[in-house]
Amino acid sequence: MTDRTERDRTAPSATGRVLRPRAWPSPVRAMTRMLNADGSPPAPAPAGTGRSAVVDCALYVDGKRQPGDWTYADALAAARREEHGFVWIGLHEPELAEMTAIAETYGLHELAVEDAVKAEQRPKLERFGDVVFLVLRTARYCEHAELTENSEVVETGQVMLFIGPNFVISVRHGDACRLAPIRADLETKQELLLQGPWAVAYGVTDRVVDLYLEVAEQIEDDLDVLEAEVFDRHGHGRIQRIYQMKRELVEFKRAVVPLQRPLMTLTSQVNREVPKEIRRYFRDVQDHLSRTVEQVNSYDDLLNSILQARLAQVTVDQNNDMRKIAAWAAIAAVWTSIAGVEGMNFDNMPELKMTYGYPVALALMLGVSLALYRWFRRNGWL
């Protein structure tokens, strides 16, 4: 990482012009003053960690990655000297101090910088001067042997993109979508990278939406298992599992559904800053997203139906239990009533002197009980 003195040095361009230090926008200076009460510059990251959020910093000219190790300040200066050059910086969970230093160099707005550090945003598209700020929610399916009441089905994260005339800065939070494979794939497509920073924005967005499709397909498998358990005659179909699946689906839905509006803006004909060819690619991404949204909405309806079916089954099971209890109570009442009559100690009772009175009473109890049992079984009570 270069210091401020090295970043501000002048550098001759290809045409012999001298690149002057850039005048930093006032919002960034204001944010820097707010970081410390005495107006001093923000403290750097703790020296003990030695961690830099910069995963990769590359300069691309005419769609090709230029060799060498670049600092973000030198790469930007070199990109401005080239007609078809831009910088792609990849950051992973940056600290505020490092993000602020990059913001000063690239002219990022303080509000967007704050959002990029906190990573608590819903998908959105905002403009700050010449820089477009795109927020994506990433999602990844978590493998599990069995769906339980505590299973994590969907893991989410965030990717933020700062898209400027000569640069694109990607900020990743979480591991739901790694950007290194995207960069490697784009570097094999020179014609696409010739479109500039918006080609990177397309590549990242396309990969995020493709992951949505994969998650949706695997969630469908879990729903099939839940549905089979609910309607299985010998299955349990615990309601807690259904509620857990609904919670995971809501988290996935929060990532997928709000992205529709930003993509509609990017594919709009009035959006002239996105190259026409890239808008065609974004329309393909929008089609995939629309399909995912339809799947998620149908899964939500299906889960509601499964939940209602399970609740209805619980009610039916309770009614069946009550009928069984009532049937056995009726059978027991026969024995209670006959034994109660025969057990009364009155002097004038005709049955008291019967020789076979006791076996006759037992036979009567057993006969009536068997008759009731057969009748209840025939009618489905037992």
Side-chain angles (χ1 to χ4, degrees):
M1 202 71 65
T2 58
D3 58 15
R4 179 66 181 269
T5 304
E6 184 179 357
R7 287 203 309 269
D8 288 350
R9 67 184 181 185
T10 58
S13 66
T15 59
R17 293 185 293 108
V18 176
L19 298 176
R20 300 298 179 187
R22 181 178 178 183
W24 311 123
S26 57
V28 175
R29 293 200 304 270
M31 183 185 69
T32 305
R33 290 195 300 269
M34 292 169 59
L35 295 178
N36 294 323
D38 58 356
S40 61
T49 62
R51 174 188 177 275
S52 174
V54 179
V55 178
D56 198 355
C57 178
L59 172 66
Y60 298 87
V61 178
D62 295 329
K64 293 183 179 180
R65 178 168 181 161
Q66 302 304 297
D69 295 330
W70 297 85
T71 64
Y72 58 80
D74 292 340
L76 180 61
R80 287 173 173 167
R81 293 194 298 265
E82 303 291 341
E83 182 178 0
H84 299 290
F86 71 92
V87 183
W88 181 2
I89 303 176
L91 304 175
H92 179 229
E93 298 179 356
E95 299 291 340
L96 180 59
E98 187 173 13
M99 193 68 205
T100 302
I102 296 175
E104 289 184 354
T105 304
Y106 284 79
L108 309 181
H109 197 277
E110 59 178 306
L111 295 178
V113 170
E114 182 181 0
D115 291 345
V117 172
K118 290 184 177 179
E120 298 174 353
Q121 304 299 311
R122 70 197 304 268
K124 63 179 180 178
L125 181 69
E126 293 182 333
R127 167 178 287 280
F128 298 95
D130 294 335
V131 179
V132 175
F133 182 52
L134 176 62
V135 178
L136 306 170
R137 291 281 304 270
T138 57
R140 180 178 65 178
Y141 182 80
C142 299
E143 297 290 343
H144 47 270
E146 181 183 4
L147 183 64
T148 65
E149 293 83 352
N150 301 312
S151 295
E152 183 181 8
V153 179
V154 180
E155 176 190 353
T156 59
Q158 284 200 328
V159 170
M160 293 117 169
L161 299 176
F162 295 89
I163 307 161
N166 305 101
F167 65 87
V168 56
I169 301 174
S170 58
V171 183
R172 176 172 64 90
H173 289 265
D175 294 325
C177 178
R178 296 184 178 272
L179 302 184
I182 303 174
R183 186 189 289 264
D185 181 62
L186 286 174
E187 288 176 354
T188 64
K189 302 174 181 178
Q190 181 179 356
E191 292 298 324
L192 184 59
L193 283 180
L194 275 173
Q195 302 295 327
W198 282 104
V200 176
Y202 155 72
V204 174
T205 307
D206 181 57
R207 178 54 182 160
V208 169
V209 174
D210 284 345
L211 285 176
Y212 290 167
L213 288 171
E214 294 177 11
V215 173
E217 291 175 358
Q218 291 170 307
I219 287 179
E220 185 175 7
D221 295 336
D222 284 335
L223 291 179
D224 291 340
V225 173
L226 272 180
E227 190 174 14
E229 287 181 352
V230 167
F231 293 101
D232 186 5
R233 185 177 182 87
H234 303 289
H236 298 289
R238 293 174 60 87
I239 293 180
Q240 291 86 343
R241 296 182 184 180
I242 303 175
Y243 273 116
Q244 176 64 17
M245 195 66 197
K246 272 189 78 69
R247 285 195 296 267
E248 295 295 314
L249 186 61
V250 166
E251 183 177 359
F252 183 47
K253 197 172 182 178
R254 287 173 180 169
V256 174
V257 175
L259 186 56
Q260 294 179 99
R261 185 178 294 275
L263 280 183
M264 288 179 61
T265 303
L266 292 176
T267 57
S268 173
Q269 295 293 335
V270 299
N271 192 340
R272 299 302 180 187
E273 64 187 23
V274 181
K276 183 178 179 180
E277 185 66 22
I278 297 298
R279 288 205 302 270
R280 292 197 185 101
Y281 284 100
F282 271 121
R283 278 195 287 272
D284 180 67
V285 176
Q286 187 180 21
D287 291 340
H288 293 171
L289 181 65
S290 299
R291 189 174 73 182
T292 307
V293 171
E294 292 176 359
Q295 286 180 298
V296 170
N297 290 332
S298 66
Y299 295 162
D300 198 14
D301 294 338
L302 179 59
L303 264 178
N304 289 332
S305 299
I306 293 175
L307 180 59
Q308 293 299 323
R310 182 54 189 152
L311 292 175
Q313 284 183 339
V314 170
T315 303
V316 171
D317 291 341
Q318 290 176 344
N319 291 336
N320 289 335
D321 292 340
M322 292 302 298
R323 289 197 301 180
K324 290 179 181 179
I325 294 172
W328 285 114
I331 294 174
V334 174
W335 293 69
T336 303
S337 60
I338 295 177
V341 172
E342 294 298 327
M344 291 187 296
N345 297 320
F346 293 113
D347 292 334
N348 298 319
M349 289 188 64
E351 297 86 357
L352 291 177
K353 305 300 182 181
M354 290 180 58
T355 304
Y356 301 102
Y358 180 69
V360 169
L362 290 178
L364 180 62
M365 293 178 188
L366 184 60
V368 174
S369 297
L370 290 175
L372 287 174
Y373 179 80
R374 184 176 181 182
W375 185 82
F376 286 134
R377 287 281 294 181
R378 189 189 310 167
N379 289 274
W381 283 50
L382 290 175

